[in-house]
């Protein structure tokens, strides 16, 4: 594992161990960037802004993004292997979601660039000759991209692609738990002839390490961050000192609402997917489901049975995260009902040293219980009944977060009434995680600031400037 700074690879810094989450064994190490290297990465990014990169046209940048996408595709299997080694997720998931989405991230911003024009206005003036106003979009400058461990390559490229599309230079810092795919991405950048300093990669932790040094660096002009809400607060304070703009995708405690008129089979299958994909370690996963009382028992029974039958799921990313999730399960078992799972699976092989948690269904907890209110970020869902649409909305909208929600109903009018009334950035009706990369993506309340996706990302990563010409 290496850093990538100013177009060169570098291994400086204290090595941090990399642990295989499926077995709990040390399988490698990644260097933790010293402060001097973070400074050098920001310096290289600043210098690249003043180099030939500044003269590249949108079409040039679009072609570069396609070359990067081609490079990931060429090394597809290596990326899948690195993604699984980092996170422990099943190969099927990495090869159908994470790596193809990383490719799509670069391609979609390349395509978007090609179709994006600038706006202009003709303005009347008293002399009758008028003026022409037009907008030009300039890059923000050096952008720090800081990403979490759950979808390491997908979320990193979701920011790097639009940042480069808009003409910025980037210093990226992936999670210290999952540096593997980012290292491969740096190699792809070099192979794709990305100009030196346009993309830089530093490894290391957050507090008192590369993450903090990057966000506090006066040479960093903007910060795009995905991670925990608390970390977002810390980064916002660092950015506030120099008024640097931030784009934040943060935590969630996503609700699902199942109405009695829903196709129950579809709602159960959808909730199994929305709660347990990547063992619940997706920010969009459903952690609490409100079910209309007449179908509560039937839904609960079917979901618990479906959960017990789940096979081929992956572990938690780390021992610390596994312990956090199990801590919530202990409290939940003491205060409510465990309808499926609730503990650690036994394999009777070396996987017993890994960080596994059984997919778990809970019920009977009060709404202010930590397992119902706080983000667990594991394979855990709590079920509770409701009686009226208003009550369902109030329950779903309670709490500090507002990222995503699912609504399961067969009534079209109700779907259009309930979905927009949810205090979230993304609502899915009769589906989950169906993504069109042009749509706005992000959260309200403690779940984020700003929107990513399509034009929204390009707008964040560029500064619109107006030019007024008197005719
Ligand atoms: P985290 O906040 O602990 O870490 C995220 C990144 O921030 C890592 O690279 C980490 O090293 C860095 N970091 C930590 N402290 C820092 C500091 N003081 N200064 C600068 N950088 C710092 O989050 P995590 O545990 O890696 O990820 C899980 C969280 O991410 C969950 O809360 C989840 O909901 C959230 N998430 C949100 C989205 C979304 O789109 N809204 C997507 C995925 C994950």
């Amino acid at each position: 594992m290496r850093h990538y700074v100013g177009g060169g690879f570098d291994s400086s810094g204290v090595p941090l161990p990399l642990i295989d989450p499926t077995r709990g064994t040390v399988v490698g190490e990644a260097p933790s960037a010293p402060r001097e290297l973070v400074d050098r990465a920001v310096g290289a990014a600043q210098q690249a802004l003043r180099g030939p990169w500044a003269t590249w046209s949108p079409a040039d940048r679009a072609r570069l993004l396609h070359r990067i996408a081609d490079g990931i595709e060429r090394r597809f299997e290596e990326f899948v292997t690195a993604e699984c080694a980092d996170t422990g997720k099943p190969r099927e998931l990495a090869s159908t979601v994470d790596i193809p989405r990383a490719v799509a991230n670069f391609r979609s911003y390349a395509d978007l660039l090609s179709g994006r024009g600038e706006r202009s206005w003709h303005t009347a003036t008293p002399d009758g000759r008028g003026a022409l106003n037009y907008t030009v979009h300039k890059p923000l400058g050096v952008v720090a991209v800081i990403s979490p461990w759950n979808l390491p390559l997908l979320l990193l490229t979701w920011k790097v692609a639009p940042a480069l599309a808009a003409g910025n230079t980037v210093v990226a810092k992936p999670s210290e738990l999952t540096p593997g795919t980012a290292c491969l991405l740096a190699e792809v950048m070099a192979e794709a002839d990305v100009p030196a300093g346009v993309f830089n990669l530093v490894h290391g932790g957050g507090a008192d390490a590369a993450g903090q040094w990057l966000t506090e660096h006066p040479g960093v002009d903007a910060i795009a961050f995905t991670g925990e809400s608390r970390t977002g607060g810390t980064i916002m304070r660092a950015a506030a000192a120099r008024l640097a703009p931030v784009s934040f995708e943060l935590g969630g405690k996503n609700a699902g609402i199942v109405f009695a008129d829903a196709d129950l089979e579809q709602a159960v299958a959808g909730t199994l997917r929305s709660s347990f994909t990547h063992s619940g370690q997706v920010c969009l996963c459903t952690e609490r489901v409100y079910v209309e009382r007449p179908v509560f028992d039937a839904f609960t029974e079917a979901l618990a049975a479906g959960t017990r039958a789940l096979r081929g799921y992956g572990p938690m990313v780390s021992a610390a995260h596994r312990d956090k999730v199990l801590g919530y399960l202990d409290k939940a078992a003491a205060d409510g009902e465990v309808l499926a799972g609730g503990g650690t699976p036994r394999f009777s092989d070396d996987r017993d040293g890994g960080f596994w948690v059984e997919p778990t269904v809970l019920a009977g907890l009060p709404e202010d219980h930590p397992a119902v209110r706080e983000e667990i970020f594991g394979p855990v869902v709590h079920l509770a009944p409701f009686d009226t649409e208003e009550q369902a909305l109030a329950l779903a909208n309670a709490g500090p977060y507002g990222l995503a929600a699912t609504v399961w109903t067969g009534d079209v009018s109700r779907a259009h009434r309930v979905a927009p009334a949810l205090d979230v950035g993304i609502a899915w009706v009769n589906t989950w995680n169906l993504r069109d990369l042009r749509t706005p993506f992000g959260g309200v309340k403690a779940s984020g600031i700003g929107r990513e996706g399509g034009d929204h990302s390009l707008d964040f990563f560029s500064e619109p400037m107006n030019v007024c010409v008197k005719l």
Side-chain angles (χ1 to χ4, degrees), residues 259-263 408-414 430:
F259 287 99
D261 58 28
D263 175 333
W408 301 91
T409 177
D411 178 337
V412 177
S413 302
R414 192 202 294 276
N430 295 334

Side-chain angles (χ1 to χ4, degrees), residues 21-24 313 345-356:
T22 64
R23 292 179 175 75
Y313 56 87
R346 283 282 148 234
F347 299 98
S348 301
D349 58 31
D350 57 358
R351 284 174 296 169
D352 285 339
F355 312 134
W356 301 84

Side-chain angles (χ1 to χ4, degrees), residues 13 38 291 349:
V38 173
V291 187
D349 58 31

Side-chain angles (χ1 to χ4, degrees), residues 145-151 155 158-159 173-178 204-216 223 225-232 234-235 238 248-254 280-284 287 317 321 324 375-377 401 403 426 441-443 446-448 452:
V145 170
I146 300 184
S147 49
W149 49 259
N150 63 326
L151 309 169
L155 292 171
W158 181 233
K159 298 178 192 304
K173 195 209 78 68
S175 166
E176 58 276 34
L177 297 176
T178 54
D208 285 324
Q212 182 180 334
W213 300 330
L214 203 48
T215 55
E216 290 177 352
I223 301 166
F225 167 76
T226 298
E228 278 193 25
S229 301
R230 197 162 2 103
T231 314
T234 305
I235 291 177
F248 283 169
E249 302 294 347
L250 308 175
K253 185 72 185 177
N254 308 309
Q281 300 169 111
V282 179
C283 54
L284 305 166
E287 294 199 2
V317 75
H321 189 50
K324 176 186 147 183
E375 181 184 47
I376 299 177
F377 216 55
Y401 294 108
L403 185 56
I426 311 145
F441 180 92
S447 290
E452 297 185 324

Side-chain angles (χ1 to χ4, degrees), residues 43 50 79 93 161 177 212 222 226 238 249 268-269 273 276 306 330 342 348:
R50 298 187 291 268
F79 272 99
L93 189 61
L177 297 176
Q212 182 180 334
T226 298
E249 302 294 347
V268 169
R273 210 163 67 77
F276 300 125
D330 285 348
S348 301

